[in-house]
Amino acid sequence: MQILRLNKPYISVENSFGGNQEWFEKTGRPWKGKAIKGYGCGLIGASDVILHILGNVPFEVFESDKQDRADEITTNLKKTDYIDFIRNMERKYFHIFPKLGLSGILLALGMNLYFLVHRKEIKNLTGRKFRARWAVWPSKILDRIREMLTADIPVIISIGPGFFRKDKVRLYVDTSAKTGKDKDIDKEKRFKAVTSTKDHYVTVTGILESKEDDITLLEISSWGKKYYIRYDEYMEFVKKCDNFYFSNILYIKAI
């Protein structure tokens, strides 16, 4: 089994695995909190990617005179700090309205706006500049995911709405994580389907591949938890129920 993951640990908010849009239901204005809870998966994904790229240093650190605060920020953030950060990101870059989430194009526009506004700080902190665009050719999706993970950039992937279809993509958990025993990927009992979803952004943090068994799993963050998606099931869903405009990735390249 071959495993490719991000170079740095993915962000944790009080021991979560990434952010969770459900934390925002009772924050700020009631209609805004409910909008983020229901339609904020793109906002959470984009903000988490930015946090990872910046080493979990929110942009407010750059805008203050307290640069030493950066040393206090670790991969395990306080929920109150995280919520404040997300609300700022929503106001300035990724606006969420009731019954409207973020399209892939708006996701890329918001990301590029952030990269532009903070280009000097990002360059000083990471030594790189970044540019985002929505969607790649279907045959290139997996290659681009590998490319981004190798560059330590998490990958936002969309599971499209699948209009007028009830089909969803199954999400799995790794049962070996509870026992601490590493099992071969071809053992069916290792990965167990626990839920399913569609019309949702998730963030890819790793790839597990078994060439022997022709199995590829995407390790993802969703709702603050770690899940896995079978890549063949994802592709089957898109071909059968959706299309590669709604179901694709946010491709971020370091330049």
Side-chain angles (χ1 to χ4, degrees):
M1 178 176 64
Q2 294 182 336
I3 301 175
L4 173 63
R5 286 195 173 98
L6 297 164
N7 300 331
K8 300 190 299 289
Y10 194 56
I11 73 160
S12 175
V13 183
E14 297 185 4
N15 300 315
S16 71
F17 190 66
N20 186 343
Q21 66 204 69
E22 294 182 336
W23 296 335
F24 294 83
E25 182 179 14
K26 297 181 181 179
T27 63
R29 289 168 290 178
W31 69 268
K32 180 64 75 173
K34 290 180 180 179
I36 293 175
K37 177 189 176 183
Y39 307 95
C41 52
L43 163 68
I44 297 297
S47 301
D48 284 2
V49 168
I50 287 171
L51 278 174
H52 185 88
I53 288 174
L54 299 183
N56 298 333
V57 182
F59 70 91
E60 288 87 348
V61 173
F62 299 130
E63 296 174 347
S64 73
D65 294 326
K66 300 179 180 178
Q67 292 292 331
D68 56 341
R69 278 193 58 210
D71 297 330
E72 302 172 4
I73 300 173
T74 67
T75 54
N76 193 22
L77 304 175
K78 294 181 181 178
K79 188 180 288 187
T80 52
D81 291 341
Y82 179 80
I83 287 174
D84 287 344
F85 173 71
I86 295 296
R87 291 178 63 190
N88 269 293
M89 294 297 285
E90 192 276 332
R91 282 194 296 268
K92 295 183 178 180
Y93 305 100
F94 305 102
H95 302 304
I96 304 296
F97 297 96
K99 299 185 179 180
L100 294 173
L102 286 169
S103 68
I105 295 295
L106 289 177
L107 202 61
L109 286 173
M111 191 73 76
N112 284 326
L113 178 59
Y114 183 93
F115 291 151
L116 176 65
V117 170
H118 298 285
R119 60 193 180 280
K120 292 181 180 179
E121 297 93 337
I122 293 171
K123 178 68 173 179
N124 290 338
L125 185 66
T126 68
R128 301 187 290 178
K129 295 181 180 179
F130 298 88
R131 181 179 298 160
R133 68 179 173 89
W134 177 249
V136 299
W137 287 108
S139 61
K140 296 291 185 182
I141 290 177
L142 198 56
D143 288 338
R144 294 293 177 254
I145 292 175
R146 292 192 189 100
E147 176 190 324
M148 288 178 60
L149 293 177
T150 301
D152 199 33
I153 304 172
V155 186
I156 297 173
I157 187 169
S158 173
I159 303 170
F163 295 112
F164 311 116
R165 302 296 294 264
K166 294 182 179 180
D167 304 64
K168 296 183 178 180
V169 174
R170 290 187 290 184
L171 305 185
Y172 297 81
V173 295
D174 184 357
T175 58
S176 70
K178 295 181 179 179
T179 63
K181 297 179 180 179
D182 190 15
K183 300 180 181 180
D184 294 333
I185 198 169
D186 60 346
K187 299 288 182 64
E188 292 184 3
K189 292 183 179 179
R190 174 172 178 179
F191 294 97
K192 178 183 178 182
V194 292
T195 186
S196 60
T197 189
K198 68 173 185 174
D199 201 12
H200 187 49
Y201 291 107
V202 300
T203 306
V204 181
T205 59
I207 300 177
L208 286 69
E209 296 181 274
S210 173
K211 293 183 178 179
E212 251 182 51
D213 303 306
D214 194 26
I215 294 175
T216 299
L217 291 166
L218 303 181
E219 177 188 273
I220 65 164
S221 166
S222 181
W223 301 297
K225 297 179 181 179
K226 181 186 291 186
Y227 293 105
Y228 298 85
I229 291 173
R230 283 191 54 151
Y231 188 67
D232 59 341
E233 293 181 355
Y234 171 77
M235 294 297 284
E236 183 181 356
F237 167 83
V238 180
K239 292 174 182 177
K240 178 182 175 183
C241 306
D242 206 66
N243 62 70
F244 285 103
Y245 174 77
F246 292 111
S247 294
N248 213 298
I249 66 169
L250 182 70
Y251 179 47
I252 301 175
K253 189 173 180 64
I255 55 176

mmCIF file of all heavy atoms in Angstrom, residues 58-70:
data_model
loop_
_atom_site.group_PDB
_atom_site.id
_atom_site.type_symbol
_atom_site.label_atom_id
_atom_site.label_comp_id
_atom_site.label_asym_id
_atom_site.label_seq_id
_atom_site.Cartn_x
_atom_site.Cartn_y
_atom_site.Cartn_z
ATOM 1 N N PRO A 58 -3.365 32.909 11.339
ATOM 2 C CA PRO A 58 -4.417 33.696 10.701
ATOM 3 C C PRO A 58 -3.903 35.044 10.216
ATOM 4 O O PRO A 58 -2.947 35.584 10.763
ATOM 5 C CB PRO A 58 -5.451 33.883 11.825
ATOM 6 C CG PRO A 58 -5.192 32.749 12.761
ATOM 7 C CD PRO A 58 -3.714 32.533 12.713
ATOM 8 N N PHE A 59 -4.535 35.587 9.197
ATOM 9 C CA PHE A 59 -4.038 36.822 8.595
ATOM 10 C C PHE A 59 -4.075 37.992 9.560
ATOM 11 O O PHE A 59 -3.354 38.966 9.396
ATOM 12 C CB PHE A 59 -4.822 37.169 7.319
ATOM 13 C CG PHE A 59 -6.238 37.596 7.554
ATOM 14 C CD1 PHE A 59 -6.561 38.923 7.735
ATOM 15 C CD2 PHE A 59 -7.256 36.668 7.576
ATOM 16 C CE1 PHE A 59 -7.875 39.322 7.946
ATOM 17 C CE2 PHE A 59 -8.565 37.052 7.787
ATOM 18 C CZ PHE A 59 -8.878 38.371 7.979
ATOM 19 N N GLU A 60 -4.914 37.914 10.612
ATOM 20 C CA GLU A 60 -4.947 39.005 11.579
ATOM 21 C C GLU A 60 -3.588 39.202 12.252
ATOM 22 O O GLU A 60 -3.238 40.296 12.675
ATOM 23 C CB GLU A 60 -5.999 38.731 12.666
ATOM 24 C CG GLU A 60 -7.431 38.866 12.198
ATOM 25 C CD GLU A 60 -7.957 37.572 11.612
ATOM 26 O OE1 GLU A 60 -7.154 36.647 11.367
ATOM 27 O OE2 GLU A 60 -9.174 37.489 11.381
ATOM 28 N N VAL A 61 -2.799 38.136 12.357
ATOM 29 C CA VAL A 61 -1.476 38.243 12.954
ATOM 30 C C VAL A 61 -0.616 39.196 12.146
ATOM 31 O O VAL A 61 0.128 40.013 12.676
ATOM 32 C CB VAL A 61 -0.806 36.857 13.037
ATOM 33 C CG1 VAL A 61 0.652 36.999 13.493
ATOM 34 C CG2 VAL A 61 -1.565 35.956 13.995
ATOM 35 N N PHE A 62 -0.745 39.118 10.808
ATOM 36 C CA PHE A 62 0.041 39.986 9.950
ATOM 37 C C PHE A 62 -0.385 41.443 10.096
ATOM 38 O O PHE A 62 0.425 42.356 9.938
ATOM 39 C CB PHE A 62 -0.124 39.583 8.485
ATOM 40 C CG PHE A 62 0.332 38.186 8.194
ATOM 41 C CD1 PHE A 62 -0.488 37.308 7.501
ATOM 42 C CD2 PHE A 62 1.574 37.744 8.604
ATOM 43 C CE1 PHE A 62 -0.063 36.025 7.223
ATOM 44 C CE2 PHE A 62 1.998 36.459 8.326
ATOM 45 C CZ PHE A 62 1.176 35.591 7.635
ATOM 46 N N GLU A 63 -1.660 41.656 10.369
ATOM 47 C CA GLU A 63 -2.187 43.011 10.398
ATOM 48 C C GLU A 63 -2.015 43.668 11.759
ATOM 49 O O GLU A 63 -2.360 44.822 11.948
ATOM 50 C CB GLU A 63 -3.667 42.992 10.005
ATOM 51 C CG GLU A 63 -3.873 42.528 8.565
ATOM 52 C CD GLU A 63 -5.347 42.368 8.217
ATOM 53 O OE1 GLU A 63 -6.171 42.385 9.145
ATOM 54 O OE2 GLU A 63 -5.664 42.229 7.031
ATOM 55 N N SER A 64 -1.477 42.936 12.721
ATOM 56 C CA SER A 64 -1.259 43.498 14.063
ATOM 57 C C SER A 64 0.231 43.721 14.281
ATOM 58 O O SER A 64 1.069 43.302 13.489
ATOM 59 C CB SER A 64 -1.802 42.548 15.132
ATOM 60 O OG SER A 64 -0.948 41.422 15.252
ATOM 61 N N ASP A 65 0.540 44.386 15.377
ATOM 62 C CA ASP A 65 1.947 44.599 15.739
ATOM 63 C C ASP A 65 2.472 43.466 16.606
ATOM 64 O O ASP A 65 3.642 43.462 16.988
ATOM 65 C CB ASP A 65 2.112 45.931 16.491
ATOM 66 C CG ASP A 65 1.794 47.111 15.601
ATOM 67 O OD1 ASP A 65 2.082 47.024 14.400
ATOM 68 O OD2 ASP A 65 1.266 48.110 16.120
ATOM 69 N N LYS A 66 1.593 42.495 16.902
ATOM 70 C CA LYS A 66 1.977 41.420 17.802
ATOM 71 C C LYS A 66 2.426 40.198 17.007
ATOM 72 O O LYS A 66 1.787 39.154 17.018
ATOM 73 C CB LYS A 66 0.809 41.063 18.729
ATOM 74 C CG LYS A 66 0.364 42.251 19.603
ATOM 75 C CD LYS A 66 -0.804 41.861 20.486
ATOM 76 C CE LYS A 66 -1.267 43.032 21.354
ATOM 77 N NZ LYS A 66 -2.420 42.685 22.185
ATOM 78 N N GLN A 67 3.527 40.339 16.315
ATOM 79 C CA GLN A 67 4.022 39.248 15.489
ATOM 80 C C GLN A 67 4.402 38.029 16.336
ATOM 81 O O GLN A 67 4.403 36.908 15.835
ATOM 82 C CB GLN A 67 5.237 39.718 14.684
ATOM 83 C CG GLN A 67 4.912 40.766 13.618
ATOM 84 C CD GLN A 67 4.072 40.199 12.491
ATOM 85 O OE1 GLN A 67 4.163 39.024 12.188
ATOM 86 N NE2 GLN A 67 3.246 41.022 11.875
ATOM 87 N N ASP A 68 4.735 38.269 17.606
ATOM 88 C CA ASP A 68 5.135 37.150 18.458
ATOM 89 C C ASP A 68 3.973 36.201 18.713
ATOM 90 O O ASP A 68 4.158 35.080 19.170
ATOM 91 C CB ASP A 68 5.704 37.638 19.781
ATOM 92 C CG ASP A 68 4.735 38.547 20.533
ATOM 93 O OD1 ASP A 68 3.803 39.076 19.908
ATOM 94 O OD2 ASP A 68 4.935 38.713 21.745
ATOM 95 N N ARG A 69 2.743 36.619 18.422
ATOM 96 C CA ARG A 69 1.579 35.732 18.589
ATOM 97 C C ARG A 69 1.682 34.514 17.708
ATOM 98 O O ARG A 69 1.127 33.466 18.004
ATOM 99 C CB ARG A 69 0.284 36.486 18.258
ATOM 100 C CG ARG A 69 -0.254 37.328 19.388
ATOM 101 C CD ARG A 69 -1.677 37.752 19.068
ATOM 102 N NE ARG A 69 -2.520 36.603 18.865
ATOM 103 C CZ ARG A 69 -3.580 36.603 18.043
ATOM 104 N NH1 ARG A 69 -3.890 37.656 17.346
ATOM 105 N NH2 ARG A 69 -4.316 35.523 17.929
ATOM 106 N N ALA A 70 2.392 34.636 16.590
ATOM 107 C CA ALA A 70 2.512 33.517 15.655
ATOM 108 C C ALA A 70 3.145 32.304 16.324
ATOM 109 O O ALA A 70 2.827 31.161 15.998
ATOM 110 C CB ALA A 70 3.345 33.934 14.442
#
